[in-house]
Amino acid sequence: MKASGAKNAPTLKTLNKNNVWDLQENDIFRLLDGIDRDSDQKDNLRHYTDIMRGAFSIEEITDEATTIKAKYEKQGYKVGQIRLDEDTKITWAVKKRPIQRVTDLTYENIHHISATTLIEVLNRNFGGGWDSLSQSIKDIIESGFDVSTTTLPKSRLHKPGGTYEKKVADGYEVLEIEKGSWVEAIFAKAKPEMEKPRLTLQSKEHDELSDEEYDDMEGEDDNMEDEEMFNEDDINEDNYRTTFEIATDPEEEADGITDFDTEN
């Protein structure tokens, strides 16, 4: 899981249901420290709290007895105070929501766990293998991880040069589920984070032209390019073809076969 305090750590203003999973309990109190000095942030405390509750259990402690605080701390909560104004403070008990079962997985947190953690979660919930999961859970997992499976006899699963050896060498974590004399191997590897495409803005010159004028200019450019590129004198029997074929690489065809097959 990503460490808190990273370079692009969320602030209250950038906090959302996704990046809140980058935080730990101490970060919650750090973000709210000084909220009494910012009226806008104080007015939006309920909004921030709703986002935080997606990744954290938050309990407000109204009884200041030491025994009550100790009870929460024993359960793994971090207890701290939040100053709302000069005379008002509230006490919170905060605990990160654990991801222990497949039903704990969401589209928001799936990118914030490692393949090792995913395998541990699957191992605690499995019995029937990958196909025992609901399609909705599979979709969540596959939004953050490349997953493939193979089912082989125990004696063949770890053969040199086989699927198991190749997947592990490629960085996949693996979970083995025994099914009698056969074993189902589930491979998982985190998908790389994709960069968001940047918005390409039209030039100011285009903004000052009408759409009709701009289309006319575009058409003129296209015609000029076609005229410059096409020259009948350059065509001869050596370079003119009406059809062509693309050779197929047998290895590429083999790679196109889905990983979700079963070797015999």
Side-chain angles (χ1 to χ4, degrees):
M1 191 175 296
K2 296 180 182 179
S4 88
K7 181 179 179 181
N8 296 321
T11 64
L12 278 181
K13 292 184 178 180
T14 63
L15 192 65
N16 58 52
K17 292 181 179 180
N18 186 311
N19 62 22
V20 70
W21 285 94
D22 287 331
L23 304 177
Q24 300 302 324
E25 291 86 352
N26 286 334
D27 296 319
I28 297 298
F29 294 104
R30 175 182 56 79
L31 288 180
L32 295 174
D33 183 33
I35 195 173
D36 57 309
R37 299 188 295 271
D38 190 316
S39 58
D40 287 339
Q41 290 185 353
K42 187 167 65 173
D43 291 342
N44 285 295
L45 178 59
R46 181 181 292 276
H47 169 68
Y48 301 137
T49 303
D50 288 343
I51 295 175
M52 292 171 181
R53 288 188 188 278
F56 294 85
S57 296
I58 299 176
E59 302 289 341
E60 184 173 347
I61 301 176
T62 55
D63 190 337
E64 290 296 319
T66 304
T67 54
I68 299 298
K69 295 179 181 179
K71 177 184 175 181
Y72 278 103
E73 290 173 342
K74 188 175 181 179
Q75 296 176 23
Y77 285 80
K78 174 72 176 178
V79 178
Q81 282 193 329
I82 301 165
R83 182 187 178 99
L84 297 181
D85 56 46
E86 192 171 324
D87 301 316
T88 308
K89 294 180 181 179
I90 57 175
T91 302
W92 274 8
V94 179
K95 182 181 179 181
K96 188 76 170 282
R97 294 188 183 277
I99 302 175
Q100 296 181 331
R101 304 178 299 276
V102 291
T103 51
D104 295 328
L105 297 172
T106 67
Y107 283 106
E108 288 77 25
N109 66 29
I110 193 64
H111 297 282
H112 299 272
I113 64 172
S114 64
T116 301
T117 299
L118 175 64
I119 291 299
E120 292 172 355
V121 170
L122 296 178
N123 191 37
R124 282 194 289 267
N125 289 271
F126 263 34
W130 176 254
D131 288 336
S132 70
L133 293 175
S134 67
Q135 188 59 51
S136 59
I137 294 297
K138 289 181 181 178
D139 289 344
I140 290 172
I141 293 173
E142 291 179 326
S143 71
F145 293 86
D146 286 320
V147 178
S148 60
T149 70
T150 186
T151 302
L152 294 169
K154 291 181 181 179
S155 59
R156 293 183 55 193
L157 181 62
H158 294 274
K159 70 176 182 179
T163 299
Y164 188 104
E165 185 177 283
K166 291 178 180 178
K167 289 287 189 181
V168 172
D170 196 27
Y172 283 79
E173 296 290 332
V174 60
L175 173 64
E176 298 179 34
I177 302 172
E178 293 193 7
K179 298 181 175 182
S181 60
W182 292 64
V183 177
E184 177 180 0
I186 302 165
F187 305 96
K189 181 180 180 181
K191 291 181 177 179
E193 292 188 18
M194 302 295 292
E195 291 186 6
K196 294 182 179 180
R198 296 181 179 179
L199 178 63
T200 302
L201 300 177
Q202 294 175 332
S203 67
K204 181 180 179 182
E205 186 177 43
H206 172 215
D207 292 339
E208 294 173 349
L209 294 172
S210 69
D211 290 338
E212 186 176 349
E213 290 174 327
Y214 185 79
D215 290 340
D216 289 343
M217 289 180 64
E218 261 195 335
E220 289 177 7
D221 291 341
D222 291 340
N223 291 335
M224 289 176 64
E225 288 181 5
D226 291 342
E227 291 174 1
E228 290 174 0
M229 293 176 63
F230 179 77
N231 189 335
E232 291 184 353
D233 294 337
D234 293 336
I235 298 177
N236 56 56
E237 61 181 6
D238 294 325
N239 62 23
Y240 179 70
R241 296 183 64 186
T242 58
T243 62
F244 60 94
E245 297 178 353
I246 299 177
T248 323
D249 188 336
E251 292 186 1
E252 290 184 357
E253 288 184 340
D255 288 341
I257 301 175
T258 177
D259 285 320
F260 292 89
D261 61 349
T262 302
E263 291 185 40
N264 294 319

